[in-house]
Amino acid sequence: MLMRDFKRITLLCGHYGSGKTNVAVNLAVALRERYDRLAVADLDIVNPYFRSKDSRGQFEDLGIRLICSEYANTNVDIPALPQDMYAVTDDRDLRVIIDVGGDDRGALALGRISQRILEENDYEMLAVVNSSRPLTHTPEDTVEVLREIEDAGGIQFTGIVNNTNLGRETDANVVLRSVSYAEAVSNLMEIPVVMTTVPAELFPQLQGKIENLFPLELQKKL
Amino acid sequence: MSDKVLMKGNEAIAEAAIIAGCRHYFGYPITPQTEVAAYMAKRMPKIGGCFLQAESEIAAINMVYGVASTGKRVMTSSSSPGISLKGEGLSYLAGADLPALVVNVQRGGPGLGGIQPSQSDYFQATRAGGHGDFKMIVLAPASVQEMAELTVKGFELADKYRMTTMLLADGTMGQMMEPVALNDLKVNDSIEKPWATTGTNMEREHNIVNSLFLDPAALEQTNFERFDRYKTIEENEVMYEEYLMDDADIAIAAFGIAARVSKNAIDEARKEGIKVGMIRPITLWPFPVAPFRKAADQVKAMISVELSMGQMIEDVRLATECKIPVTLCNRVGGMIPSPEQVLESIRTTAAKIGGAN
């Protein structure tokens, strides 16, 4: 299901609540089969809740390294970056999925390492988008948010992850309808849609109908 | 086309406020309600509204007072410690009979407490939002959809009765994401405000908005008139939901997130043959006295499920006139009762009342 090649660094950015963390966790689990040394780096400085650290146990079981602030999920509500953050750029044998905080404010943290990422030039900067979110409902609104993120983070997007979903009310129609939205965002940004996510239970139903379909297991429930 | 969007509770409050015609928001960031302010900051400039991050919660509530005086729909939001700071302003709003929507996305306390959910501001909201004799209409949503609906309703009630409506949510409700249908929200913004300070055009007497009455007889009169209005609200505006109460031997009292947890526990208990139901107050003030009074003649015991050391339980005991035992099932400090804990409480209660038969 993940036939395409991935660069050494995969950056996941987007509007907050677009599902970046869930995509990051699922992508890590899928890529673990391909790469021995794999890390997920959580650079969120905005949100004290719902962090990739929630999946720490699963990462440990699979041998995926978690690069994450000491303060994530501790209820200490301060913006902090991981102390081992530079492993992302300095350890070039390491495959990394970077889960960046939401919106332009979250992407500010990326500015700290964006120059090194650009110099190495072995990265993909993916925009996680969900058309069911109110502030990214239209392609135009979405592009506005994505441009703000590019400005704040200092890296341009190279692809789109269409993560359109309605939470537990996601059905095949929600995903099918989102295809034209993702294409419109793709045209406006002049970058390809690299994957469309779908809840794992809907994958068999939609396989073959949408290109680059990627099944998601829901990692977190309230 | 699906007309639903996926929203955080905090975002739903903000968007619903805009739909209700609110164009003035004043706030100050505090977890777990910061998304209300963040959303307003993004949306208000695009629709010609005013988002202003005040220098403090106290400043924000006084800006609310200013805009409310002009008759415009206005809101502020905060979480528990910030609401305490607003206490003085809430009392002034009441004293000047001004309509406003104030949102409290509660977190654990007292003091600075923590950032996890709580319901321990129940007394503050229903009894003592500030000094003096006054009430606020207090609405308690239990889903993201209800966050939106009660925000719209809250503005209407505030305008209708010239008083503050408080939307009393908690950190879970604020942070959780659920599908919401915003298209169905019914907005009533046609309420006349002849008292508003909108300019006289030299054609009428000045309207004066004020909470200072140095003549005690006049001040007494404003209190009497205000409480006459409160009586009308108690008679007309009570909202609650009953769940499986028809044949219930045990009733759970719970609002907000506690009611969601309780529903799961009730479904499990029903599978074990225990006849348990729930009364979920949606208005915490006015409290739904009548359904509790009626249930007191039907059920043999009640359980108040709360994220507090036991606050709503006092209203339950008052409403049931202590005819039946009411026990507390709770967690505090940012902890949430699990369905298993509530189920165990139901089993224990069932065993007790079973013995009495």
Side-chain angles (χ1 to χ4, degrees):
Chain A
M1 54 195 77
L2 270 176
M3 300 304 288
R4 64 193 294 276
D5 286 333
F6 279 79
K7 302 281 189 181
R8 189 180 78 75
I9 295 176
T10 305
L11 294 143
L12 296 169
C13 298
H15 179 46
Y16 84 87
S18 60
K20 296 174 294 297
T21 299
N22 201 29
V23 171
V25 171
N26 278 276
L27 193 57
V29 172
L31 288 184
R32 180 65 186 90
E33 293 166 14
R34 214 179 289 181
Y35 305 112
D36 276 346
R37 298 190 66 235
L38 179 69
V40 170
D42 173 354
L43 299 194
D44 198 337
I45 54 165
V46 178
N47 194 347
Y49 310 107
F50 316 119
R51 303 287 290 264
S52 44
K53 207 174 184 177
D54 291 330
S55 305
R56 172 176 254 176
Q58 194 185 1
F59 286 159
E60 274 172 13
D61 291 345
L62 291 169
I64 297 169
R65 178 175 169 187
L66 179 63
I67 297 172
C68 182
S69 161
E70 289 297 303
Y71 297 109
N73 283 14
T74 62
N75 295 324
V76 179
D77 190 8
I78 56 170
L81 289 166
Q83 57 189 8
D84 48 351
M85 172 168 126
Y86 289 109
V88 169
T89 49
D90 295 354
D91 183 351
R92 294 196 173 182
D93 295 326
L94 187 67
R95 292 270 161 176
V96 194
I97 296 160
I98 305 184
D99 177 11
V100 181
D103 288 344
D104 47 338
R105 291 183 304 280
L108 267 183
L110 195 55
R112 187 77 173 264
I113 52 171
S114 57
Q115 207 52 44
R116 294 180 192 215
I117 292 172
L118 291 170
E119 277 163 18
E120 184 195 357
N121 196 21
D122 192 2
Y123 72 93
E124 274 184 288
M125 170 88 166
L126 302 182
V128 181
V129 299
N130 179 356
S131 73
S132 296
R133 296 279 290 141
L135 296 186
T136 56
H137 204 41
T138 68
E140 292 74 19
D141 287 346
T142 307
V143 169
E144 190 183 323
V145 170
L146 296 182
R147 293 296 185 209
E148 287 169 0
I149 291 170
E150 287 180 332
D151 288 345
I155 302 182
Q156 305 245 299
F157 283 108
T158 62
I160 293 161
V161 176
N162 176 16
N163 188 45
T164 296
N165 72 90
L166 256 183
R168 61 175 187 272
E169 290 185 24
T170 310
D171 58 22
N173 279 331
V174 169
V175 183
L176 283 168
R177 272 201 310 266
S178 72
V179 170
S180 60
Y181 155 83
E183 278 168 3
V185 176
S186 163
N187 288 333
L188 289 167
M189 298 284 292
E190 297 180 339
I191 50 174
V193 179
V194 299
M195 80 180 65
T196 295
T197 68
V198 58
E201 64 273 19
L202 294 176
F203 183 75
Q205 199 180 333
L206 289 170
Q207 201 172 12
K209 292 182 182 166
I210 301 173
E211 277 180 64
N212 302 318
L213 206 56
F214 180 57
L216 287 187
E217 303 282 349
L218 188 62
Q219 301 294 316
K220 295 176 290 260
K221 282 178 190 164
L222 260 177
Chain B
M1 272 296 286
S2 163
D3 52 1
K4 282 189 175 180
V5 286
L6 186 64
M7 295 186 100
K8 276 197 173 203
N10 285 337
E11 296 174 322
I13 293 170
E15 186 60 40
I18 289 168
I19 290 170
C22 172
R23 292 293 178 274
H24 296 83
Y25 171 90
F26 308 102
Y28 190 83
I30 178 171
T31 307
Q33 69 77 50
T34 300
E35 292 84 1
V36 182
Y39 194 93
M40 287 299 199
K42 290 253 185 220
R43 286 279 278 128
M44 279 299 196
K46 290 186 181 168
I47 54 171
C50 171
F51 163 84
L52 199 151
Q53 180 172 322
E55 67 267 35
S56 73
E57 287 86 348
I58 299 168
I61 191 75
N62 284 295
M63 291 170 186
V64 167
Y65 184 106
V67 170
S69 303
T70 71
K72 305 276 189 207
R73 286 193 162 171
V74 56
M75 77 181 271
T76 185
S77 61
S78 192
S79 179
S80 308
I83 296 295
S84 292
L85 284 168
K86 292 182 194 292
E88 180 193 55
L90 293 175
S91 177
Y92 279 51
L93 284 166
D97 294 311
L98 290 173
L101 186 77
V102 176
V103 177
N104 181 1
V105 184
Q106 300 166 90
R107 58 188 249 180
L112 207 43
I115 64 167
Q116 296 293 341
S118 166
Q119 297 180 327
S120 54
D121 302 345
Y122 181 93
F123 280 155
Q124 185 189 43
T126 60
R127 309 284 202 279
H131 63 278
D133 275 316
F134 78 93
K135 302 273 188 195
M136 296 183 288
I137 296 169
V138 183
L139 305 178
S143 69
V144 177
Q145 181 70 37
E146 226 173 51
M147 295 279 249
E149 289 167 4
L150 293 180
T151 297
V152 171
K153 183 77 180 168
F155 276 109
E156 181 186 330
L157 292 172
D159 281 353
K160 191 169 166 189
Y161 297 104
R162 289 184 64 179
M163 61 190 288
T164 297
T165 300
M166 176 170 279
L167 190 73
L168 193 70
D170 66 75
T172 330
M173 302 303 313
Q175 293 296 324
M176 66 166 52
M177 288 177 89
E178 287 183 327
V180 187
L182 294 169
N183 299 349
D184 308 334
L185 296 176
K186 287 182 183 60
V187 177
N188 174 6
D189 56 2
S190 60
I191 296 151
E192 296 287 326
K193 295 175 179 174
W195 48 266
T197 55
T198 52
T200 64
N201 284 330
M202 307 301 245
E203 285 165 5
R204 61 162 167 82
E205 287 297 304
H206 291 91
N207 283 337
I208 296 171
V209 171
N210 179 34
S211 72
L212 181 66
F213 294 86
L214 292 174
D215 172 7
L219 181 55
E220 183 186 48
Q221 202 50 43
T222 66
N223 275 275
F224 285 159
E225 283 167 14
R226 202 166 291 125
F227 272 69
D228 282 346
R229 229 182 313 144
Y230 293 165
K231 201 156 178 281
T232 312
I233 297 169
E234 285 174 330
E235 283 162 8
N236 297 314
E237 306 296 351
V238 168
M239 289 187 277
Y240 62 94
E241 180 200 11
E242 287 191 338
Y243 183 62
L244 304 179
M245 279 300 294
D246 285 350
D247 63 344
D249 293 328
I250 301 169
I252 282 182
F255 66 95
I257 184 65
R260 289 174 72 120
V261 174
S262 297
K263 227 172 212 178
N264 289 333
I266 289 167
D267 291 345
E268 286 304 310
R270 285 265 168 183
K271 287 180 199 161
E272 296 177 13
I274 305 172
K275 288 179 181 169
V276 54
M278 175 167 65
I279 303 172
R280 172 173 80 89
I282 297 171
T283 48
L284 301 181
W285 190 86
F287 191 75
V289 173
F292 279 99
R293 187 164 292 164
K294 179 168 161 276
D297 295 327
Q298 175 194 325
V299 303
K300 300 186 182 75
M302 286 195 190
I303 306 166
S304 191
V305 182
E306 304 183 46
L307 278 67
S308 77
M309 288 305 291
Q311 299 192 11
M312 184 178 69
I313 194 171
E314 294 196 2
D315 281 332
V316 175
R317 284 181 176 140
L318 283 169
T320 55
E321 295 165 339
C322 297
K323 285 181 185 168
I324 46 162
V326 186
T327 52
L328 179 68
C329 173
N330 69 328
R331 292 297 297 272
V332 295
M335 302 300 290
I336 304 173
S338 64
E340 293 71 30
Q341 183 190 349
V342 179
L343 180 59
E344 198 47 46
S345 183
I346 294 169
R347 285 187 190 127
T348 308
T349 306
K352 272 189 206 156
I353 62 167
N357 276 344

